[in-house]
Amino acid sequence: MAEKMTQEQRLDTLVEAFKADSVQYKELRTPADTEGKRRILRSLMNIRMPKKLDDSVLAVQDEYLRERIRENGIVTLSKIPVIRNGMSIWQGDITRLAVDAIVNAANSQMLGCFVPMHTCIDNCIHTFAGVQLRAECNRQMNQFRIRYGRDYEQPTAVPMLTDGYNLPAKKIIHIVGPIVAGQLTKALEQDLADCYRNTLDLCMENGLRSVAFCCISTGVFRFPNRRAAEIAVETVSKWLDEHKGRIDRVIFNVFKNEDKAYYEKLLH
């Protein structure tokens, strides 16, 4: 049924389904315009706790999200030039990248961002992957809690692998970066290097040959952008030299012009 709908019909169906699924927002007034409906849908997806969703609604969601991603434009590896030693820079929305894995800057709860319409990468990835992603993250975290106790939170620099669901990327690697509360220390720098190294190790273990890193910890975690770029390039370069032929491409995905300039200077 989902594939016979227009994109506008899918959107209308999903807004009403997610409203009905919500106790608090069942009576929410639906805007008439497409952009307003998109905002309502994304907000309802963002705040939704991990739980079962009706299969028919899930099918509509999947068709809707895949079409949205097609509209945004899928970016393949062939469109991203190699600068040096299998490393590339790409500026834009990481949810457009058709790679083996993208890296998500997660928090220690590992369930995605619950703030409606937040612009963080965690929110964007969970939104366009679909509600299945939060459900899988929750299942994995529940298994960890059985093993380590109910207060378990994901440690810094320990990556978690999930499916990509509706994203062009096959897999998502979720990692908690170091939080800079005061002065930048050697320990924090080591933690950030470990994020890159451990993620690449996980890629190698799972046969993932292309990976796109976001700028881990440089947002609300307050790691200085220039130093973060230096650590990223240094760590990845060393890893690729030590594991020749195990990964074909590493993309440094940047959003800000500032970060792009840092990576360009380091790689050229």
Side-chain angles (χ1 to χ4, degrees):
M1 174 182 173
E3 59 271 13
K4 295 179 183 176
M5 292 182 176
T6 66
Q7 190 69 339
E8 198 67 27
Q9 287 170 332
R10 291 181 190 123
L11 179 57
D12 288 339
T13 299
L14 291 172
V15 168
E16 294 310 312
F18 276 86
K19 278 169 57 178
D21 182 65
S22 165
V23 173
Q24 191 174 357
Y25 295 103
K26 284 184 189 297
E27 305 304 321
L28 188 69
R29 186 181 67 82
T30 303
D33 63 299
T34 298
E35 193 53 43
K37 291 175 191 173
R38 285 177 174 178
R39 291 178 63 86
I40 292 293
L41 175 59
R42 178 167 176 170
S43 298
L44 291 170
M45 291 173 71
N46 292 159
I47 65 173
R48 186 179 186 272
M49 296 301 291
K51 56 183 177 178
K52 173 86 173 133
L53 183 65
D54 185 89
D55 287 343
S56 63
V57 178
L58 210 54
V60 177
Q61 178 218 242
D62 291 350
E63 287 295 327
Y64 172 76
L65 290 175
R66 287 171 190 167
E67 183 58 31
R68 283 293 311 278
I69 288 166
R70 281 193 289 268
E71 290 167 359
N72 290 341
I74 295 171
V75 179
T76 60
L77 283 176
S78 63
K79 297 175 182 175
I80 305 173
V82 176
I83 298 173
R84 172 162 61 84
N85 193 24
M87 293 182 287
S88 302
I89 303 166
W90 187 77
Q91 185 176 26
D93 180 354
I94 203 169
T95 65
R96 296 173 59 198
L97 294 178
V99 291
D100 284 351
I102 59 172
V103 177
N104 177 30
N107 59 53
S108 60
Q109 299 299 314
M110 284 293 198
L111 293 182
C113 171
F114 283 87
V115 180
M117 292 296 298
H118 198 246
T119 56
C120 71
I121 194 167
D122 200 11
N123 188 299
C124 293
I125 286 174
H126 273 265
T127 295
F128 283 95
V131 296
Q132 302 97 310
L133 178 56
R134 181 168 283 167
E136 182 182 351
C137 290
N138 188 54
R139 286 193 298 272
Q140 290 202 38
M141 289 299 284
N142 283 339
Q143 289 300 311
F144 287 136
R145 291 190 185 104
I146 290 168
R147 195 180 313 164
Y148 301 117
R150 65 181 185 180
D151 295 329
Y152 175 84
E153 294 184 3
Q154 190 77 353
T156 300
V158 177
M160 186 171 85
L161 183 68
T162 67
D163 280 340
Y165 295 100
N166 292 296
L167 297 175
K170 295 175 187 174
K171 300 287 183 181
I172 305 163
I173 298 172
H174 309 260
I175 197 154
V176 182
I179 300 171
V180 181
Q183 287 290 105
L184 183 61
T185 64
K186 289 293 182 188
L188 290 167
E189 291 187 338
Q190 185 59 52
D191 283 343
L192 185 61
D194 288 344
C195 287
Y196 286 91
R197 189 177 299 107
N198 294 344
T199 296
L200 292 170
D201 286 344
L202 186 66
C203 287
M204 182 172 64
E205 290 161 11
N206 288 273
L208 304 171
R209 301 195 64 90
S210 58
V211 58
F213 281 101
C214 61
C215 298
I216 301 168
S217 283
T218 58
V220 293
F221 284 12
R222 297 183 295 279
F223 206 103
N225 295 60
R226 184 197 300 270
R227 186 67 188 121
E230 290 170 351
I231 291 168
V233 172
E234 180 184 345
T235 306
V236 170
S237 296
K238 186 177 179 184
W239 191 96
L240 290 172
D241 285 341
E242 292 171 352
H243 303 84
K244 289 190 184 297
R246 301 305 299 269
I247 290 181
D248 300 322
R249 186 80 74 89
V250 175
I251 298 163
F252 296 109
N253 169 241
V254 299
F255 200 75
K256 297 178 180 176
N257 290 332
E258 175 191 2
D259 291 315
K260 185 183 180 191
Y262 292 144
Y263 279 97
E264 284 178 340
K265 187 174 181 181
L266 290 162
L267 285 175
H268 281 94

